[in-house]
Amino acid sequence: MAMDTGAWAADAPPGYAEDTLPGQWLPDLLGPGFEYTTLAAGEDEDGPLCATLVRHVPESPPEHPADHGPRLRGMVAGLVEFATQHHHEPGPPVPAVLALHGWTDYFYNVELARYWTRRGYRFYALDLRRYGRSLRAWSTPGFTTNLSEYDADLEAAFAAMAADVGTLGNVVCVAHSTGGLIASLWADRNPGRFSALVLNSPWLETQGSWLVRNAAAGLLDPVARRRPKTRLKLPEVESYWQSMSREAHGHWDLHPLWRPRRSFPVTAGWLTAVMAGHAAVARGLDIREPILVLTAGRTRFGTVYDSEMLRADSVIEVDTVRQRAVGLGREVSVVRVSGAMHDIFASALPARRAAYAAVSRWAGGYLPALAEEHRRS
């Protein structure tokens, strides 16, 4: 399998993403083969909200010399698509993958998209409201007071995918870290919407166990109710960024605004929402679709970068996550990926290869059967 961590399509990444018209797809900063569309999501006290759906499409041929450039071409194509998207001829169901990012994160992994595309899936990734391509100058980055707020983003993504392909088949969710928590809770509340889940280091429990979570919740709840945007005084570290970024010790081009060196400021409202999600997982979920959970082989915490963080999870306690994972649903497979970091699919090449091989083994058993089940229904 060819491995490509990708690079910026231009010399420097843009700042805030440009809004699209409804149904319009514009060229994405990840370069040829990637486009995005803005999904309106109402507004909050700060201003308008949106989510952003990225899609991986076959790479187009080289531009004609008379072409006016990819931006204009993408706008024209988007307008034509908008005019016709509700008039698809019925066709066979198209299986799809929907990827969800984690905290202080966005979609950047072109290799992951190409892996699923080669398996015959239409690949999409969702930048949730107040993250990545959906971040705006007036936004409080990553802020929420309830993880169910993202239900609207997921519903909008499903609608946009269906409009894009005509007849949407099975949808596999590939979710990382906090995105894995969000996806698990949503799948529990919405049985049958996802056909399967691949959870990449899902953040399923607070560091230090449920005892720490309960104690912290008791202290935070009053603050979160009165002043949810209160910033918590936590250590600001950049060790994980250093293990990821090509500018330091990693392999990836990370957008400086969407994935800064240090995490977004942690607010009382956001942390209370996450801990409420952890509490729900601890009580046990009843996800009926097959689940694959991937974790690193071990944890390596620290406020200062060291080289062991290239081969271990420096964000979550992997042993605790594996314990929580078996309570997510009825059929859960758990795989330890030796030498992996927190983002399994952003780890060093040997760990990524091992992770993709594990997904392929799991998918070979479950996903063809799911496709056949959809055809019979």
Side-chain angles (χ1 to χ4, degrees):
M1 178 175 64
M3 296 290 178
D4 178 10
T5 53
W8 297 118
D11 291 336
Y16 297 106
E18 176 185 348
D19 284 322
T20 71
L21 297 173
Q24 176 191 21
W25 295 87
L26 293 180
D28 188 71
L29 85 168
L30 293 179
F34 291 89
E35 299 173 340
Y36 77 93
T37 189
T38 305
L39 309 175
E43 61 181 68
D44 64 3
E45 65 274 13
D46 294 330
L49 292 168
C50 70
T52 308
L53 191 65
V54 180
R55 70 179 178 184
H56 183 220
V57 296
E59 296 188 8
S60 45
E63 290 181 28
H64 187 278
D67 215 339
H68 293 288
R71 174 68 64 175
L72 179 59
R73 188 174 66 253
M75 290 180 66
V76 172
L79 288 169
V80 171
E81 182 167 352
F82 175 55
T84 61
Q85 66 177 324
H86 298 294
H87 302 284
H88 283 287
E89 292 296 326
V94 177
V97 164
L98 180 62
L100 294 182
H101 57 79
W103 169 245
T104 315
D105 206 354
Y106 69 102
F107 175 69
Y108 59 87
N109 195 325
V110 299
E111 178 183 284
L112 182 67
R114 289 168 180 163
Y115 167 84
W116 285 102
T117 299
R118 284 194 296 270
R119 291 195 67 89
Y121 288 80
R122 285 298 297 267
F123 182 90
Y124 300 89
L126 181 62
D127 281 8
L128 297 166
R129 59 185 65 191
R130 309 184 190 94
Y131 285 95
R133 297 163 181 81
S134 308
L135 190 63
R136 297 294 181 265
W138 53 84
S139 303
T140 302
F143 177 75
T144 189
T145 57
N146 194 320
L147 298 184
S148 65
E149 180 182 18
Y150 301 121
D151 289 9
D153 298 3
L154 286 162
E155 292 293 348
F158 265 80
M161 290 189 295
D164 189 36
V165 301
T167 305
L168 189 62
N170 290 309
V171 179
V172 178
C173 179
V174 178
H176 171 55
S177 196
T178 310
L181 175 63
I182 293 166
S184 297
L185 296 171
W186 191 81
D188 181 63
R189 295 193 305 269
N190 298 273
R193 301 296 299 283
F194 289 134
S195 300
L197 292 92
V198 177
L199 304 182
N200 164 14
S201 298
W203 190 21
L204 302 179
E205 182 56 279
T206 308
Q207 281 83 328
S209 86
W210 63 272
L211 292 171
V212 174
R213 167 167 44 81
N214 287 349
L219 295 172
L220 282 174
D221 281 348
V223 179
R225 284 195 299 269
R226 295 195 307 269
R227 299 186 304 277
K229 291 187 178 178
T230 298
R231 295 186 178 186
L232 304 180
K233 295 182 179 180
L234 299 175
E236 293 187 356
V237 298
E238 60 178 57
S239 53
Y240 183 54
W241 178 90
Q242 290 200 29
S243 68
M244 292 280 294
S245 175
R246 198 191 301 273
E247 296 179 33
H249 307 281
H251 308 285
W252 300 88
D253 292 302
L254 301 179
H255 195 291
L257 177 65
W258 305 346
R259 186 70 176 272
R261 296 176 72 100
R262 298 174 179 84
S263 122
F264 293 157
V266 175
T267 62
W270 175 82
L271 188 54
T272 300
V274 168
M275 289 192 298
H278 291 166
V281 170
R283 291 191 294 269
L285 304 183
D286 186 27
I287 300 173
R288 302 173 186 180
E289 294 72 39
I291 305 168
L292 174 64
V293 176
L294 302 164
T295 75
R298 59 192 177 92
T299 293
R300 175 76 170 192
F301 287 145
T303 57
V304 178
Y305 170 81
D306 71 68
S307 60
E308 287 300 305
M309 292 177 176
L310 294 173
R311 297 176 289 276
D313 195 316
S314 59
V315 178
I316 63 173
E317 293 179 346
V318 295
D319 290 339
T320 302
V321 165
R322 285 193 286 265
Q323 293 168 9
R324 285 283 182 254
V326 296
L328 290 176
R330 304 181 181 188
E331 198 156 359
V332 182
S333 305
V334 181
V335 175
R336 299 185 187 196
V337 182
S338 179
M341 298 189 301
H342 179 52
D343 189 340
I344 305 294
F345 297 113
S347 302
L349 183 57
R352 297 206 311 274
R353 281 180 170 154
Y356 284 117
V359 174
S360 294
R361 289 192 299 272
W362 176 84
Y366 283 108
L367 299 191
L370 290 173
E372 180 60 30
E373 179 182 311
H374 192 281
R375 283 192 291 270
R376 291 197 304 267
S377 61

